[in-house]
């Protein structure tokens, strides 16, 4: 009899395992896959599998791309530039499915939240993620997710307490943007030639700040965002796409080189000691390495800054000395600072800083030359604010709500 192999784990491996969760499931592609979210190359390959001759593929990809991402069609029959035969063959082998919507909620401030059902490895156990549209006077932002659950375990984040189920596919990432256009009737606005329609499309910005750590799903995020930024399709400029990371240092230069979108870094603490507790990934990639990676992020300038996010936790990281240390720490990095009021969730051991403290903290940042917008927790009535995805919370008092609105600035 062969003895079972013992699983030997070094101390280092055990420590890493405590910081980074492994996915519980893998993605199982449906028998009839959706074409939404495929890269041009993958789309050409898909056409190859149904017998489209190689010499035609480039043109067909171009045509289908237009139908998918400029016209937003949901039915192969509407692709009238393709032969009837090809449309039939496409319909036989593929779909144009978007993520399934389980619930759609609209907040009093116009924030719209979609609860999406994504297939699980086991057919009877689907999963859910959220996608949120946040309207503002001069822009509309779509907040999208990158994982079901999260690889990491930040102590103030509700998602961090959940298991990592799996990474989203490029199709599921792109699908969130496509779905917004469907639901908010944004295709026509987006397709109108400049000047022809005074009403622009509702979503001008995309932020990857929903569920999950995007830099632990690097390839899918890279490939999905490339489709979102494609100028012949969904056409969101890379300058209007922001990827938020908790500091996966080795993937920051890669993100600069291969994705090229704006970067937001969840800093939350000015010392390693505290950051080790709030963002345990800091034990693996400490502040010095993180800030070096930020300093070297390609293309930084005053017009192209890194956003540093700082969640305001009462009595934990909100002293004025910490505000001053924050300013010193970021010296020399073209930066914006976003102070985020902590959103409590059931069982969380933190409280949001008092409003007066947030104001004082923000004043120090402001006096150091940073516009320091406090991120308004929009859509609280439908629980769509940052870090609150999938969780319940107390409502803000009317006074706090007003104060937050007044402080919210756009850059
Ligand atoms: N995983 C990525 C992106 C998703 S989280 C990241 O951590 O950057 C988006 C932002 O919400 C991050 O800055 C995160 O630190 C913050 N956040 C998480 N939980 C929060 C909470 N309960 N209250 C306020 N902000 C929170
Ligand atoms: Fe994951 Fe971001 Fe939450 Fe940390 S803050 S657990 S990285 S989603």
């Amino acid at each position: 009899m062969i003895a079972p192999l013992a699983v030997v784990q070094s101390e280092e491996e055990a420590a890493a395992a405590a910081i980074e969760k492994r996915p519980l499931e893998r993605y199982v592609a449906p028998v009839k896959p959706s074409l939404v979210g495929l890269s041009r190359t993958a789309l050409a390959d898909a056409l190859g599998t149904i017998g489209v001759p190689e010499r035609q593929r480039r043109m067909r990809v171009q045509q289908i791309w237009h139908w998918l991402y400029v016209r937003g069609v949901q039915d192969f029959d509407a692709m009238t530039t393709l032969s009837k035969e090809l449309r039939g063959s496409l319909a036989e082998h593929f779909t144009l499915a978007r993520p399934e919507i389980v619930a759609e909620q609209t907040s009093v401030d116009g924030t719209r939240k979609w609860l999406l059902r994504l297939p699980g490895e086991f057919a009877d156990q689907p999963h859910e993620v959220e996608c949120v549209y946040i309207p503002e006077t001069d822009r509309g932002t779509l907040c999208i997710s990158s994982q079901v659950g999260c690889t990491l375990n930040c102590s103030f984040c509700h998602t961090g307490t959940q298991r990592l189920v799996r990474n989203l596919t490029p199709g599921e990432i792109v699908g969130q943007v496509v779905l917004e256009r469907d639901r908010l009737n944004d295709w026509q606005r987006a397709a109108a030639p400049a000047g022809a329609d005074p009403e622009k499309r509702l979503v001008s910005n995309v932020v990857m700040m929903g569920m999950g750590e995007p830099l632990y799903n690097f390839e899918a995020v890279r490939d999905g965002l490339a489709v979102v930024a494609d100028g012949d399709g969904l056409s969101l400029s890379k300058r209007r796409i922001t990827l938020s990371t908790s500091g996966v240092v080795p993937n920051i230069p890669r993100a600069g080189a291969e994705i090229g979108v704006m970067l937001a870094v969840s800093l939350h603490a000015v010392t390693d000691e505290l950051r080790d507790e709030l963002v345990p990934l800091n034990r693996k990639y400490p502040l010095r390495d993180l800030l070096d990676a930020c300093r070297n992020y390609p293309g930084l300038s005053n017009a192209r800054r890194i956003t540093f996010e700082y969640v305001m936790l009462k009595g934990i990281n909100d002293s004025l000395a910490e505000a001053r240390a924050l300013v010193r720490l970021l010296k020399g990095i073209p930066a914006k600072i976003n102070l985020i009021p902590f959103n409590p969730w059931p069982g969380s051991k933190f409280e949001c800083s008092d409003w007066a403290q947030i104001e004082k903290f923000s004043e120090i940042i402001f006096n150091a030359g940073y516009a320091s917008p406090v991120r308004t927790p929009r859509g609280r009535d439908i629980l769509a604010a940052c870090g609150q995805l999938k969780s319940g919370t107390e409502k803000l008092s009317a006074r706090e709500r007003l104060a937050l609105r007044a402080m919210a600035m756009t850059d």
Side-chain angles (χ1 to χ4, degrees):
M1 203 180 103
I2 304 166
L5 283 177
V7 181
V8 185
Q9 231 183 4
S10 71
E11 252 177 56
E12 262 171 37
E13 278 169 341
I19 297 173
E20 295 157 331
K21 292 169 231 160
R22 299 232 176 146
L24 294 170
E25 290 188 12
R26 62 199 173 91
Y27 173 73
V28 182
V31 184
K32 246 173 118 169
S34 173
L35 296 183
V36 173
L38 296 187
S39 66
R40 286 170 193 271
T41 317
L43 192 50
D45 291 347
L47 294 180
T49 64
I50 59 165
V52 175
E54 194 166 356
R55 60 174 194 288
Q56 281 187 20
R57 283 184 213 155
R58 229 182 103 110
M59 181 183 71
R60 296 294 175 222
V61 165
Q62 202 59 24
Q63 289 170 321
I64 296 172
W65 199 265
H66 181 83
W67 289 113
L68 281 181
Y69 300 123
V70 178
R71 307 291 283 268
V73 302
Q74 300 190 40
D75 190 336
F76 288 111
D77 266 343
M79 298 187 173
T80 48
T81 50
L82 306 182
S83 69
K84 221 167 170 192
E85 195 193 342
L86 178 56
R87 282 183 261 158
S89 177
L90 284 168
E92 204 179 307
H93 296 92
F94 304 106
T95 72
L96 299 173
R98 291 78 161 108
E100 183 189 344
I101 300 178
V102 190
E104 179 178 60
Q105 283 174 286
T106 307
S107 155
V108 285
D109 62 17
T111 299
R112 189 90 65 114
K113 181 177 88 172
W114 295 280
L115 187 61
L116 308 177
R117 177 172 294 151
L118 304 180
E121 184 172 341
F122 310 101
D124 57 341
Q125 290 172 23
H127 306 294
E128 284 168 1
V129 294
E130 284 173 349
C131 172
V132 185
Y133 162 67
I134 307 144
E136 287 171 277
T137 38
D138 63 338
R139 64 167 82 177
T141 304
L142 189 70
C143 175
I144 63 176
S145 295
S146 58
Q147 300 184 307
V148 182
C150 183
T151 302
L152 299 175
N153 52 358
C154 303
S155 52
F156 56 89
C157 172
H158 190 232
T159 309
T161 64
Q162 295 168 26
R163 300 176 312 169
L164 169 63
V165 177
R166 68 167 169 86
N167 285 326
L168 264 58
T169 65
E172 290 167 338
I173 292 168
V174 176
Q176 296 172 70
V177 179
V178 164
L179 190 135
E180 173 281 325
R181 293 236 169 130
D182 295 343
R183 297 303 303 156
L184 297 181
N185 227 341
D186 231 1
W187 291 110
Q188 272 181 335
R189 290 190 198 92
D197 184 353
E199 202 180 10
K200 289 204 292 279
R201 64 188 177 205
L202 295 178
V203 166
S204 56
N205 295 55
V206 170
V207 294
M208 201 150 240
M209 290 186 188
M211 200 180 231
E213 168 48 59
L215 293 190
Y216 277 114
N217 185 13
F218 191 90
E219 284 80 11
V221 166
R222 176 194 62 199
D223 298 350
L225 290 183
V227 174
V228 173
D230 188 288
D232 291 328
L234 292 169
S235 216
L236 273 137
S237 139
K238 287 189 174 181
R239 303 195 54 153
R240 289 178 172 274
I241 302 176
T242 302
L243 182 155
S244 175
T245 179
S246 53
V248 188
V249 168
N251 281 348
I252 290 178
R254 271 190 85 194
E258 297 177 39
I259 309 181
V261 295
M262 305 300 283
L263 189 68
V265 171
S266 295
L267 196 65
H268 308 317
V270 293
T271 62
D272 280 321
E273 197 190 357
L274 179 59
R275 197 162 190 274
D276 282 353
E277 294 305 313
L278 299 179
V279 184
L281 183 68
N282 194 70
R283 296 178 205 156
K284 190 166 178 186
Y285 306 121
L287 274 172
R288 176 204 280 261
D289 298 356
L290 175 58
L291 293 171
D292 275 349
C294 291
R295 230 170 252 118
N296 295 323
Y297 193 70
L300 283 193
S301 69
N302 272 343
R304 246 177 98 87
R305 304 181 206 202
I306 294 183
T307 301
F308 288 90
E309 293 155 284
Y310 196 93
V311 63
M312 298 300 297
L313 302 169
K314 185 174 182 168
I316 303 285
N317 67 354
D318 64 350
S319 73
L320 303 188
E322 280 159 310
R324 286 187 279 271
L326 178 59
V327 169
R328 280 198 300 276
L329 204 61
L330 299 184
K331 211 165 171 214
I333 306 177
K336 287 187 269 190
I337 299 174
N338 260 358
L339 302 180
I340 315 176
F342 171 64
N343 290 318
W345 38 273
S348 66
K349 55 182 181 180
F350 299 105
E351 278 179 78
C352 184
S353 308
D354 294 333
W355 185 250
Q357 189 65 14
I358 299 184
E359 267 179 341
K360 283 188 224 151
F361 196 99
S362 133
E363 205 175 297
I364 291 175
I365 310 276
F366 182 80
N367 288 340
Y370 297 97
S372 60
V374 177
R375 252 261 222 97
T376 324
R378 302 290 297 271
R380 279 217 178 215
D381 55 334
I382 53 163
L383 309 179
C386 290
Q388 216 173 304
L389 299 176
K390 285 202 90 180
S391 73
T393 188
E394 312 258 304
K395 288 194 176 180
L396 279 182
S397 73
R399 191 192 149 272
E400 278 176 313
R401 190 187 280 270
L402 265 179
L404 283 173
R405 286 279 154 70
M407 289 286 294
M409 292 187 280
T410 45
D411 45 66

